[in-house]
Amino acid sequence: MEHNYRTDLWVDWCPGCGDFGILSAIQQSLAEIDKNPENYVMVSGIGCSAKTPHYVNVSGIHTLHGRGIPFATGIKLANPNLTVILDGGDGDILSIGAGHFVAAGRRNVDMTIIIHNNGVYGLTKGQASPTMPRGLKTKGLQRPNIYDSLNPVAVALSVGYTFVARAFAFDIKNTKDILVKAIKHKGTAVVDLLQPCPTYNDINTKEWYEKRIYYLDKDPTWDPIVRKADEEEVEKKYLQGIQKSLEWEEKIPLGIFYQNEFVPSYEERINNNIPTYFTDPPATSKICDGNGLPLARMDKIFSDRLIRK
Amino acid sequence: MSEVDIDLIIGGPQGGGIDSAAQIIIRSFSIAGYEAYGIREYHSNIKGRHSYFHVRIKDEEVRSLRYPVDILACLDSETPFVHMYDVTKNTIVLFDEDVKGTKLNQVLTLEPETKKHIEEKLQSEGYELTVSGSLEYMKKRGAILVPVSFRSLVNEALGPSKPPARYANTLGASISMALMGLDSEFTMSGIASVFGKKKEVLEDNEKIVKVAYEYISKNNGLKIKKLGPKTVRERYILTGNEAIAIGKVIGGLKLQTYYPITPAADESFFLEGHDYFDELSGGENETLRKSGVVIVQAEDEISAIAMAISGAMTGARTATGTSGPGFSLMAEAIGYAGINEVPVVITLYQRGGPSTGLPTRNSQADLSFAVNAGHGDFPKIVLSSGDVQEGIEDAVKAFNFAEMFQLPVIHILDKNFANSFYVVDGIDYDRMKIKRWKLPEKQEGEFERFKFTEDGISPMGFFGKNIMWLTGDEHNEIGHITEDPETRDAMMVKRMGKLEIAKKMIPLEDQAILFGDKDADVTIVSWGSNKGIILDVMDKLKQEGKKVNFLYIRMMVPFPTDFVTNILKNSKMIIDVENNYTGQLAMLIKQNCAININKYLLKYNGRHPTEDEVYDGIKKLIDGKSNRVVMTNGA
Ligand SMILES: Cc1ncc(C[n+]2csc(CCOP(=O)(O)OP(=O)(O)O)c2C)c(N)n1
Ligand code: SF4
Ligand SMILES: [Mg+2]
């Protein structure tokens, strides 16, 4: 029987919330990839977006505000055979968890980070998130926003993410296609997911986006993928991605900005040091015999601390 | 009574090889069959500031250090100033002749406040403000001065091209050991075990040892003891940090996360050097297999604890290590582990707080915080260790308890433990058994990770084995969010109930131990690395006919309330000994047992408490001269 990727819980987002589109796209992408459902783990931080794992019928861990990345990392490092997908809010990932976002780019653990980019802190009633431009006054704000916004795609590229893409929550088919690629990518994939929040962000609405978005892959000359492991190629694709990321306001590109699978994943780097890492990962490695006696022994491992004449 | 009982301090600039000197001394004596124990004291600085190693050598177990010392080895011009109070009649003070004329003002590494105290002391006693002045002052206290020209001895050993400062540590250590009467063959072995890997360095250091021993034999009569032969046996030399690392690996550690901080990081650093190894395969015939431990240096402590928690939920035995500042950052996540019933171990090495406080000094002031860390009510275990043997075993038990009761375990230690050198024989694996508990079965369909069960503990689930949900929100048995009041009540009762289960299942000796007769006039209560000192002091007091016992508390949560209450309710006098200002263990006793303690022996200057000051302090408290004595030993 086909696995049902929906749970039967009532989904508690506001009507018209972009998160509904993202949720469908996630459920469809998992079905399309069709792994053993036990091998998926959905992770989230705290926020409206963070409810997502409860609505997907695979293991889910709803963690702490901003800490989704390290929680996801711990799962993957303990068991590299699992497929780990993180749903984070833009406040979650780019404000309180920004340090983790930077560090994760440098690690390149094989996992997927979906940023629910709604420009606001939804669950705390509409304060400006790091992606809201300065001067905007959405309906949840008392005064126009006096922070400048950051560009998630450019930040992701600059800290080393090896797959960076953008999608729009209400184009479920395209979002699903991008998520499938992101999940299959070896290394950390980041997807900046434009997510209308009809309740608090009355500026970046569904209609606002629909007027501006266009698809990078409609242009047959657009090739974001690093095709060979040479510096020139990497630099070319990287700069092209950065340049594209600067487009906003009039025209908003969707699709893959950059992908490079030549960078070793963090797990591969571990396996270089510990050659049994992939074959006998931490989560399933045996630690004692049938009588509970430990397998790791002082004289075998720490003989350098043994003092003899 | 130990025939041999020598305290030594060797001091010099940070980065000037005090660590190697410590290693040389400890290793040489333990190779020779003696018992040795020592602590490193140092500033939060990489190069230049004063650091020293205080070690005691006996022919029976060493459990404490003592002032005044028997030998003071000064490798630079600062040491005679800062340690001039640490000597007494017949203390041998070895110093560098070439710096005798150095003025106090020229010692730029001295902190102004320390300089002022020294200046006032020397001036009021009529000594000049030079190294010579401090030496004269020590001489008046009865010390025997042993001048050594570091420059000419290094020159004699290695020729003029080698900088004397680089060899001061080996020279000072060797001369000290020669003075203590240790046969040079052991010193040579000690040197070899420290520098063995680098041939040239080893050869140079061996020449230094030779010259040092010749120098002392020319100055006949200085030997404070001629040490007799001992049974020589192989032993391990471990710092407290290393002991915990070893205990964790034996206990099945598979993923350790950390963010660098003193005095915790040395544990992870040591693990990084031992992350791929041979171990038993666990099959019928004792073959070996390759295995490893993943050590992750995270971007901060929040990340470290988060990775450890989720790694544990995936099925690995995971741990993280930190000290006060990092532990403060972990507080939110510890509650997360509590509500999600995650078996994760947090090793907390206390250092002087608050804030950055005394970052390289000792403290026991994080007990209350560890007990209460995290918002909301949730169960955790807080356990402590007093010495290296306990430390290794407790590292295994911490994992076992975490797994049995599905909760975070905080293993609380301190800088004195972390930076002490201990000599241990080996491991009794029967005492280090791994308890696996309610491990998940592979299961189809919906899994109730938080199921209410007869025995009060839910079935464990791991990602990859079961489809399950975890959330920091209150949840139902499946792990989905609920704010239903009845479910909330039931979940609270289930989680908190595990503390009672733990209290029943954990052996009493892991919770608290009463040393000495039940019947006593005075009961000392204390915890952690004070254990050995108090045992030594208790022996001394007993010899004087005093009826003293010692209630040593190992587990702070859940608290062994009945056991402690039964002992303390009849005590005639209770003395609380702790390295903090507020008497945090006494507060915990009051909170749990409703027993007031009103005599305190405390220390919060960050330096290791010593046998003499604990002895003096307890006597003062017994005599009723004071109810609160603060210990102040240590430079
Ligand atoms: C440590 C901490 N600080 C603050 C909060 C309160 N809080 C809950 S959700 C949230 C913001 C959520 O915004 P975002 O991450 O953008 O997610 P969204 O709700 O927009 O999906 C905040 C600040 C919290 N849960 N934890
Ligand atoms: S507040 Fe905004 S983000 Fe949150 S559920 Fe409602 S519409 Fe969605
Ligand atoms: Mg948001």
Side-chain angles (χ1 to χ4, degrees), chain A residues 12-19 48 118 120 122-123 195-200:
Chain A
D12 72 356
W13 291 315
C14 310
C17 177
D19 284 341
C48 296
N118 57 5
V120 293
L123 198 58
Q195 176 233 324
C197 164
T199 304
Y200 293 114

Side-chain angles (χ1 to χ4, degrees), chain A residues 62 71 107 292 298 307 309, chain B residues 185 235 299 310 429 434:
Chain A
H62 177 194
F71 274 99
R107 278 190 290 257
M298 182 102 167
I307 304 304
K309 213 177 151 203
Chain B
E185 75 172 289
R235 285 183 295 175
E299 61 273 28
S310 61
Y429 292 99
I434 291 174

Side-chain angles (χ1 to χ4, degrees), chain A residues 46-49 65 89-92 96 118 120-124 129, chain B residues 332:
Chain A
I46 292 290
C48 296
S49 46
H65 192 34
D90 44 9
D92 204 38
I96 188 168
N118 57 5
V120 293
Y121 287 6
L123 198 58
T124 46
S129 89
Chain B
E332 186 193 13

